Amino acid sequence: MSLPLKVGMFGGGTVGGGVYEIMEQTKKELFKAGGVDVTIAKICVRDVNKKRSFELEKHTTMVTDYDEILEDDSINCVVELMGGVTHAKDVVFKALKKGKHVVTANKALLAQLLPEVKSLVAENAGTTLGYEAAVCGGIPIIHNMQGSYVGDSIQSVMGIMNGTTNFMLTKMETEGADYAAVLKEAQDLGFAEADPTADVEGHDVQAKIALLAKLAFGQDVALDKVPCAGISNLSSTDFACAKMMGCTIKLVGTAALGESKDKLAVFVSPVLVPLGGPLASTRGPGNVVVVRSENLTESVYAGPGAGRYPTANSVVNDIVRLARLGAAGTPPPFPLERPLELEPDFEACFYVRVTAADGLGVLSAVGAIASEAGVSVHSVLRGGEGGGGGGEEAGVVSLVVKTDSCLRSQVGAFVDGLKGKKVATADPVVMSIL
Amino acid sequence: MSLPLKVGMFGGGTVGGGVYEIMEQTKKELFKAGGVDVTIAKICVRDVNKKRSFELEKHTTMVTDYDEILEDDSINCVVELMGGVTHAKDVVFKALKKGKHVVTANKALLAQLLPEVKSLVAENAGTTLGYEAAVCGGIPIIHNMQGSYVGDSIQSVMGIMNGTTNFMLTKMETEGADYAAVLKEAQDLGFAEADPTADVEGHDVQAKIALLAKLAFGQDVALDKVPCAGISNLSSTDFACAKMMGCTIKLVGTAALGESKDKLAVFVSPVLVPLGGPLASTRGPGNVVVVRSENLTESVYAGPGAGRYPTANSVVNDIVRLARLGAAGTPPPFPLERPLELEPDFEACFYVRVTAADGLGVLSAVGAIASEAGVSVHSVLRGGEGGGGGGEEAGVVSLVVKTDSCLRSQVGAFVDGLKGKKVATADPVVMSIL
Ligand SMILES: NC(=O)c1ccc[n+]([C@@H]2O[C@H](COP(=O)([O-])OP(=O)(O)OC[C@H]3O[C@@H](n4cnc5c(N)ncnc54)[C@H](OP(=O)(O)O)[C@@H]3O)[C@@H](O)[C@H]2O)c1
Ligand SMILES: NC(=O)c1ccc[n+]([C@@H]2O[C@H](COP(=O)([O-])OP(=O)(O)OC[C@H]3O[C@@H](n4cnc5c(N)ncnc54)[C@H](OP(=O)(O)O)[C@@H]3O)[C@@H](O)[C@H]2O)c1
């Protein structure tokens, strides 16, 4: 039931160029193998005169006017690889309304406008939406979430979904380097952008974990409902303490069902993860997603999370699946809605690093404030004095409190108490421990 | 384009019982979610009076006569979960000839009769074959091989695909235990069978890597063309030496394309794998598959490789995919044939443990025999004397030779020389180093 596709592609940059290269290189073999018939007929870019990384074949035209693709009734599939939300929204929405299939790598668009996109796909019968490349570039996590847990019950999805920060955290772990130094190195190497906010503050992961939460639990999760902590306040002290606890630190997006199965916690934060496990073993720019479920206990998907060919590979998988199996053969893009309550609070053991003025009473003050907040202290480590973190002064001490299992909100109260009573001389660093 | 399925299932044991439980538990929700309509109408077993782990619903009958299912024209899907080759072959072949879809977990059947099964699926238009559960129980590796590399070029597939031996090797690694002790423990725990040959000699992995080779490279690989070494000659000395080399030991199935891309090496053997990597990090009964490819560089799939619910979960994925998307929506079970040459030889660095009578001339004798075989020695470690391995005698020494990169056949000549010249007092242990 193959479906010949005439594709209009928006974007001919990093990913778009890769898609074009792969499709042109493999199209003959794909046709032989399964009657896959894909022609990229038009590519829309901002500037047709820009030098491209690929050779344009005769059957492809470069255009700048969106309607050359959107109003062309012979084009039945739009591939959106421009990025951004404003223009991409115009393109994707209009394509679906015109009954065209859509493949996109745009996590920002999907995470922000998920309900609208969902309705448009549903209303325009026969259209499908592929978005494999939108989460963890080269890892086929979307397709596996759609098809590998159909009789299973997912308990949690957790992942390292940002290569830039994982590159930085790996450097901090292995070289004992400090945050500012690794950020500069990542920027020099082109791994991090001049304005690294979206990566280091976790917003990129926020969009991805919202999409995975939708797939795993059927729950629309608005981005502003996903608490998000980044890595910019981590120091080498934290890595040294993590190591003493048999852990390292990763920026993790988590979506987890509560025990009662009616509450869902979705959040992004740095987490202490045990050495030797799949999260700790994911190094450099690699990504990984760990799914816990009733039937499979734990399943792990790891691979490159970004980059030209990995991301393009996922886009090509989406295109070819559609061409090979027809619209009927592509799985429903989103699962059924489920009545869950978003729960901003969650239970865990926590790591709290408190920077305090050194002195005799510090420990008892910290202990008293913990008790007031209902936080039971499991142990206290003393981090490096003075030079422990970024810019700590002499006479200042780092205390690392490991809590027993408690609620995130209780740790919040503990931290507020530390600040309110001026025991903490800087914002405490809070991480959950896996 | 959903396809209502009336299923006849052969087997109601570990996996069959799990499939029945999961289907009955989730069928209502699956119907709501995507019009999935699956009824397990009949289950064929040997003994209908045996006590089962599941409650039989009214719509299901237990039978013992194959034809009650195979000759029932209202049954359009056969799920084969009996195991063995003789009877399973009768069932699967007849089902396909009758135009019924087939889902099976039977790696032995597929690996032995792949060409016949392939032809039957092709000849009986409209039939499909699902076999996700046949390789690495709960890991969706078949489906990912079918759909996640369509525009990619796979260079190698490698994996830990036998939970029993990985459980044993993990014990040997972490507890310094010896082979005989961990085998006994695995048998006591029900992880290993009374006759452990199929597991410990690698035959189970042989069938699985042959199937993955087919999927990755389009090559039919006959089982007797897959060189196979097991783990029964490994000792605690090997683990101690591996550790000194920054490695541990895993039983790995490998299918790798040569540099010229026209030769394919497929083999099973214990391998020294670097600590911290995805193979070394897979512990206990877990499985993992690592795919190296041009677009994705390295992608990793890990999860439970066997067991009632993981395996049943994969069977259910196959059934539901068919029911949800119709025959047109299930990917072609096998890729196109490719003209590759099976190459029994392959290049690597090797680990060769030589047990020799202790004496002054041993090292130079070993060195001379290596030179004759064209094997360049990278380094030599001295393993534990006397008590190093299983049952070594006093006056006997273990020398561990690490070779530079060379051919497996050259190492074979080296080993033959060691034995021929009676330098080795026992069969040397040979492993490649990853
Ligand atoms: N790069 C990755 O590793 C990666 C990974 C996962 C997901 N993604 C997603 O993939 C998408 C594309 O990323 P990219 O890295 O390929 O971006 P890119 O290299 O900047 O390419 C963007 C392309 O879109 C075109 N374009 C941008 N705005 C346009 C507009 N208003 N009208 C017409 N054409 C426009 C550009 O045209 P010109 O060439 O003429 O400037 C360029 O060809 C984004 O949604 C991104 O989040 C990327
Ligand atoms: N168990 C796992 O973890 C696992 C993992 C991956 C793949 N698999 C594969 O799944 C298949 C089933 O394994 P299993 O562990 O479920 O086996 P099992 O527990 O031994 O169950 C076999 C079932 O098949 C029935 N059966 C066997 N021979 C039969 C015959 N000649 N006629 C009619 N019925 C027959 C048995 O009937 P009675 O109940 O009446 O004896 C029993 O219900 C095998 O191919 C195996 O390789 C298993």
Side-chain angles (χ1 to χ4, degrees):
Chain A
M1 206 90 101
S2 62
L3 172 72
L5 291 182
K6 202 166 155 197
V7 171
M9 187 160 80
F10 287 84
T14 306
V15 182
V19 169
Y20 193 74
E21 281 179 37
I22 296 175
M23 279 309 316
E24 292 305 326
Q25 240 172 58
T26 54
K27 64 191 288 183
K28 275 200 200 121
E29 205 176 328
L30 284 169
F31 186 75
K32 262 203 319 200
V36 169
D37 182 1
V38 177
T39 308
I40 300 183
K42 294 179 183 170
I43 303 177
C44 178
V45 293
R46 276 179 299 217
D47 176 4
V48 290
N49 296 316
K50 204 185 223 175
K51 204 172 144 28
R52 302 283 155 191
S53 62
F54 52 90
E55 292 286 330
L56 210 63
E57 302 290 330
K58 273 207 285 296
H59 53 257
T60 312
T61 324
M62 293 287 243
V63 303
T64 54
D65 178 0
Y66 296 3
D67 282 343
E68 287 245 26
I69 291 175
L70 297 171
E71 296 286 348
D72 181 341
D73 289 337
S74 74
I75 287 180
N76 56 356
C77 176
V78 160
V79 176
E80 186 280 305
L81 302 168
M82 300 194 296
V85 175
T86 323
H87 299 292
K89 175 188 168 189
D90 292 344
V91 163
V92 167
F93 281 28
K94 188 161 176 190
L96 288 171
K97 282 182 197 150
K98 287 265 175 189
K100 300 183 198 300
H101 301 293
V102 169
V103 172
T104 177
N106 196 325
K107 65 179 170 287
L109 173 75
L110 289 176
Q112 271 181 44
L113 299 171
L114 194 60
E116 289 88 338
V117 175
K118 254 174 33 194
S119 315
L120 276 170
V121 176
E123 283 158 20
N124 296 279
T127 60
T128 63
L129 177 79
Y131 56 103
E132 185 63 80
V135 179
C136 298
I139 304 179
I141 187 62
I142 303 289
H143 197 63
N144 279 292
M145 297 293 288
Q146 289 168 335
S148 301
Y149 300 87
V150 291
D152 203 354
S153 173
I154 295 178
Q155 286 141 2
S156 71
V157 186
M158 256 179 330
I160 298 174
M161 304 189 259
N162 181 279
T164 304
T165 47
N166 203 51
F167 170 85
M168 292 169 61
L169 295 175
T170 304
K171 286 252 161 203
M172 290 178 79
E173 176 193 352
T174 54
E175 298 173 11
D178 234 319
Y179 177 78
V182 294
L183 174 59
K184 180 157 185 326
E185 187 176 348
Q187 284 170 326
D188 290 347
L189 287 169
F191 270 118
E193 311 206 11
D195 176 2
T197 314
D199 290 324
V200 300
E201 296 307 338
H203 304 310
D204 173 66
V205 178
Q206 203 180 27
K208 291 170 180 170
I209 193 65
L211 281 172
L212 290 188
K214 175 71 192 168
L215 280 160
F217 304 107
Q219 178 78 23
D220 282 342
V221 180
L223 286 186
D224 59 8
K225 291 275 164 2
V226 180
C228 187
I231 63 165
S232 57
N233 61 353
L234 297 182
S235 76
S236 53
T237 306
D238 296 313
F239 280 88
C241 293
K243 197 172 173 188
M244 283 191 262
M245 297 157 98
C247 292
T248 187
I249 302 170
K250 295 293 188 183
L251 182 61
V252 177
T254 304
L257 217 50
E259 294 237 329
S260 58
K261 299 204 166 184
D262 57 354
K263 287 189 178 154
L264 179 66
V266 185
F267 54 94
V268 179
S269 78
V271 173
L272 267 77
V273 301
L275 291 170
L279 292 164
S281 308
T282 301
R283 283 156 200 281
N287 281 19
V288 64
V289 178
V290 179
V291 182
R292 299 234 165 91
S293 65
E294 221 162 273
N295 293 340
L296 295 186
T297 59
E298 183 174 291
S299 29
V300 180
Y301 305 84
R308 182 187 189 83
Y309 293 109
T311 311
N313 191 68
S314 288
V315 173
V316 169
N317 286 341
D318 277 346
I319 298 173
V320 171
R321 187 169 293 123
L322 179 61
R324 189 156 76 168
L325 309 172
T330 65
F334 306 107
L336 274 196
E337 217 74 37
R338 255 166 71 185
L340 292 170
E341 198 184 307
L342 263 190
E343 169 61 67
D345 216 359
F346 64 96
E347 208 175 310
C349 297
F350 290 88
Y351 167 109
V352 184
R353 174 164 58 85
V354 186
T355 308
D358 205 359
L360 261 183
V362 176
L363 202 59
S364 86
V366 168
I369 297 169
S371 300
E372 265 166 51
V375 169
S376 155
V377 173
H378 173 276
S379 54
V380 182
L381 277 174
R382 186 152 176 155
E385 267 121 297
E392 279 171 16
E393 296 138 45
V396 153
V397 67
S398 285
L399 288 182
V400 170
V401 176
K402 183 181 165 189
T403 76
D404 288 323
S405 187
C406 63
L407 291 171
R408 178 66 182 81
S409 55
Q410 293 175 307
V411 175
F414 173 41
V415 164
D416 287 345
L418 290 168
K419 291 198 290 183
K421 297 203 168 135
K422 302 223 177 348
V423 172
T425 59
D427 278 341
V429 173
V430 177
M431 294 184 266
S432 56
I433 304 172
L434 210 64
Chain B
M1 206 89 100
S2 61
L3 172 71
L5 291 183
K6 203 167 153 195
V7 172
M9 186 159 82
F10 287 84
T14 307
V15 182
V19 169
Y20 194 75
E21 282 178 36
I22 296 175
M23 279 310 314
E24 292 304 326
Q25 239 173 59
T26 53
K27 64 190 288 185
K28 275 199 200 123
E29 205 175 328
L30 285 169
F31 186 75
K32 261 203 320 197
V36 169
D37 181 0
V38 178
T39 307
I40 300 184
K42 295 179 185 171
I43 303 178
C44 178
V45 293
R46 277 179 297 216
D47 176 4
V48 289
N49 295 318
K50 205 187 223 176
K51 206 176 141 29
R52 301 283 156 192
S53 62
F54 51 89
E55 292 286 328
L56 211 64
E57 302 289 330
K58 272 204 288 291
H59 54 258
T60 313
T61 324
M62 293 287 243
V63 301
T64 54
D65 177 2
Y66 295 4
D67 283 343
E68 288 245 26
I69 291 174
L70 298 171
E71 296 286 349
D72 181 342
D73 290 338
S74 74
I75 287 180
N76 56 356
C77 177
V78 161
V79 176
E80 187 280 302
L81 302 169
M82 298 194 296
V85 175
T86 323
H87 299 293
K89 176 189 167 188
D90 292 344
V91 163
V92 167
F93 282 28
K94 188 159 176 192
L96 289 171
K97 282 182 198 150
K98 288 268 175 186
K100 300 183 198 298
H101 303 293
V102 170
V103 172
T104 178
N106 197 326
K107 61 176 172 294
L109 174 76
L110 290 176
Q112 271 182 43
L113 300 171
L114 195 59
E116 290 88 338
V117 175
K118 253 172 36 196
S119 316
L120 277 170
V121 177
E123 283 159 20
N124 295 280
T127 61
T128 62
L129 177 78
Y131 56 103
E132 184 63 78
V135 179
C136 298
I139 305 179
I141 187 63
I142 304 289
H143 197 64
N144 279 291
M145 298 294 287
Q146 289 168 335
S148 301
Y149 300 87
V150 291
D152 203 354
S153 173
I154 294 179
Q155 286 142 1
S156 71
V157 186
M158 257 179 330
I160 297 174
M161 303 190 261
N162 181 277
T164 304
T165 47
N166 203 52
F167 171 85
M168 292 169 60
L169 295 175
T170 305
K171 286 253 160 199
M172 291 179 79
E173 175 192 353
T174 53
E175 298 172 12
D178 233 320
Y179 177 77
V182 296
L183 174 58
K184 176 149 188 333
E185 186 175 347
Q187 284 170 326
D188 290 347
L189 287 169
F191 270 121
E193 312 205 10
D195 175 1
T197 315
D199 289 324
V200 300
E201 296 307 338
H203 304 310
D204 171 69
V205 178
Q206 204 180 25
K208 291 169 180 171
I209 193 66
L211 281 172
L212 291 188
K214 174 71 192 168
L215 281 160
F217 304 108
Q219 178 78 23
D220 282 342
V221 181
L223 286 187
D224 60 6
K225 292 274 164 4
V226 180
C228 187
I231 63 165
S232 57
N233 61 354
L234 297 182
S235 76
S236 53
T237 306
D238 296 313
F239 280 89
C241 293
K243 197 172 172 186
M244 282 192 262
M245 297 158 100
C247 291
T248 188
I249 302 170
K250 295 294 188 183
L251 181 61
V252 177
T254 305
L257 217 52
E259 292 235 333
S260 58
K261 297 205 169 186
D262 56 355
K263 287 190 178 152
L264 179 66
V266 186
F267 54 95
V268 179
S269 78
V271 174
L272 268 77
V273 302
L275 291 170
L279 292 165
S281 308
T282 301
R283 284 157 200 279
N287 281 18
V288 64
V289 178
V290 179
V291 182
R292 298 234 165 90
S293 66
E294 220 163 272
N295 292 340
L296 295 187
T297 59
E298 182 173 291
S299 28
V300 180
Y301 305 83
R308 183 186 189 84
Y309 294 110
T311 311
N313 190 68
S314 288
V315 174
V316 169
N317 287 340
D318 278 347
I319 299 173
V320 170
R321 188 169 291 122
L322 179 61
R324 191 155 74 169
L325 310 171
T330 66
F334 306 107
L336 274 197
E337 216 73 39
R338 255 165 71 183
L340 293 169
E341 198 184 308
L342 263 190
E343 169 62 64
D345 217 359
F346 63 97
E347 208 176 310
C349 297
F350 290 87
Y351 167 108
V352 185
R353 173 162 60 85
V354 187
T355 308
D358 205 0
L360 261 182
V362 177
L363 202 58
S364 86
V366 168
I369 298 169
S371 299
E372 267 167 48
V375 169
S376 155
V377 173
H378 173 275
S379 54
V380 182
L381 278 174
R382 185 151 177 157
E385 269 120 294
E392 278 170 16
E393 298 137 47
V396 152
V397 69
S398 285
L399 288 181
V400 170
V401 176
K402 183 181 166 186
T403 76
D404 287 323
S405 187
C406 64
L407 290 172
R408 178 65 181 82
S409 55
Q410 293 175 307
V411 175
F414 172 39
V415 164
D416 287 345
L418 290 168
K419 291 198 289 183
K421 298 204 167 133
K422 303 223 180 338
V423 172
T425 59
D427 277 343
V429 173
V430 177
M431 294 184 267
S432 56
I433 304 172
L434 209 65

